[in-house]
């Protein structure tokens, strides 16, 4: 039953504190991530929770971390993802083609391998740690170390962190 302890009566309706807090969380989330794709957040969170729960139950990992990295990029940076298996890059951010590389929770080091022959002007490194907390670093291609050859190994610690989303972000 709604009353003054758990809701506000306004314009003929009860508005719960849960609804108010949810709205404030959404506004805060949008301020933190101005390019936020709100519709993708519940899917991202459910997939991340599923991966974490599966690992907790079986000790094994689902093969979803690349998709989680791409969803993270779409949510936090507004990357418009290409269709699956598109050649060259994973998505577009404005006029920039973006390559997304994901460090998985079971990886023993914090490096990713980048194919320099692919067509991209930015790379997003997404890290999902052993606690299933997710963070990302968006790097301009011109800021990458000069290297001869087609492969480049990037270490997470060599770049500044842009954003982080913990595993328990409330849904907007």
């Amino acid at each position: 039953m709604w009353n003054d302890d758990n809701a506000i009566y306004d314009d003929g309706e009860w508005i719960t504190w849960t609804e108010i807090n949810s709205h404030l969380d959404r506004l805060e989330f949008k301020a933190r991530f101005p390019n936020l794709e709100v519709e993708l957040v519940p899917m991202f969170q459910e997939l991340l929770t599923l991966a974490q729960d599966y690992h907790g139950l079986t000790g094994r990992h689902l093969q979803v971390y690349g998709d989680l990295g791409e969803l993270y990029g779409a949510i936090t940076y507004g990357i418009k993802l290409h269709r699956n298996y598109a050649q060259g890059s994973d998505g577009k951010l404005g006029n920039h083609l973006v390559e997304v590389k994901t460090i998985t929770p079971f990886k023993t080091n914090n490096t990713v391998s980048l194919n320099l022959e692919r067509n991209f002007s930015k790379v997003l490194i997404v890290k999902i740690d052993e606690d299933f907390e997710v963070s990302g670093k968006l790097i301009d291609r011109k800021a990458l170390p000069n290297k001869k050859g087609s492969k480049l190994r990037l270490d997470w610690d060599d770049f500044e962190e842009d954003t982080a989303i913990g595993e328990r972000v409330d849904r907007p």
Side-chain angles (χ1 to χ4, degrees):
M1 168 130 183
W2 305 125
N3 59 47
D4 291 335
D5 293 332
N6 58 14
I8 296 173
Y9 192 76
D10 185 42
D11 200 25
E13 287 186 64
W14 284 101
I15 303 170
T16 67
W17 287 111
T18 302
E19 292 170 314
I20 292 169
N21 288 335
S22 175
H23 179 70
L24 292 174
D25 288 344
R26 249 191 322 279
L27 292 176
E28 183 180 320
F29 209 65
K30 276 216 104 29
R32 187 171 169 203
F33 301 108
N35 298 315
L36 178 69
E37 291 274 347
V38 175
E39 302 79 21
L40 297 177
V41 172
M43 289 179 255
F44 172 81
Q45 290 175 320
E46 288 170 16
L47 189 57
L48 184 62
T49 298
L50 176 65
Q52 184 177 21
D53 291 348
Y54 182 81
H55 179 259
L57 182 67
T58 67
R60 298 186 318 236
H61 289 276
L62 293 173
Q63 300 302 307
V64 297
Y65 298 112
D67 292 324
L68 280 166
E70 290 178 8
L71 280 171
Y72 177 86
I75 291 167
T76 58
Y77 293 95
I79 296 170
K80 302 295 180 208
L81 298 174
H82 298 318
R83 70 188 191 295
N84 286 345
Y85 309 109
Q87 296 296 314
S89 64
D90 294 309
K92 210 167 180 194
L93 182 59
N95 292 327
H96 297 279
L97 294 172
V98 181
E99 179 72 10
V100 179
K101 300 307 249 175
T102 305
I103 300 171
T104 61
F106 56 85
K107 193 158 188 194
T108 57
N109 59 42
N110 288 326
T111 63
V112 294
S113 180
L114 191 59
N115 183 350
L116 296 173
E117 293 178 353
R118 294 196 67 175
N119 186 19
F120 64 92
S121 55
K122 293 184 181 289
V123 61
L124 173 62
I125 304 174
V126 177
K127 181 178 179 183
I128 304 172
D129 70 16
E130 60 278 350
D131 295 322
F132 288 81
E133 291 187 14
V134 183
S135 50
K137 298 179 181 187
L138 186 64
I139 305 152
D140 285 325
R141 186 173 185 149
K142 57 188 163 202
L144 297 174
N146 289 331
K147 166 109 170 54
K148 291 191 184 234
S150 62
K151 299 286 183 196
L152 176 64
R153 293 193 65 74
L154 300 177
D155 191 296
W156 174 263
D157 296 324
D158 290 343
F159 302 94
E160 283 189 40
E161 191 163 342
D162 289 323
T163 60
I165 297 180
E167 63 166 295
R168 298 291 177 218
V169 174
D170 292 328
R171 286 188 187 155

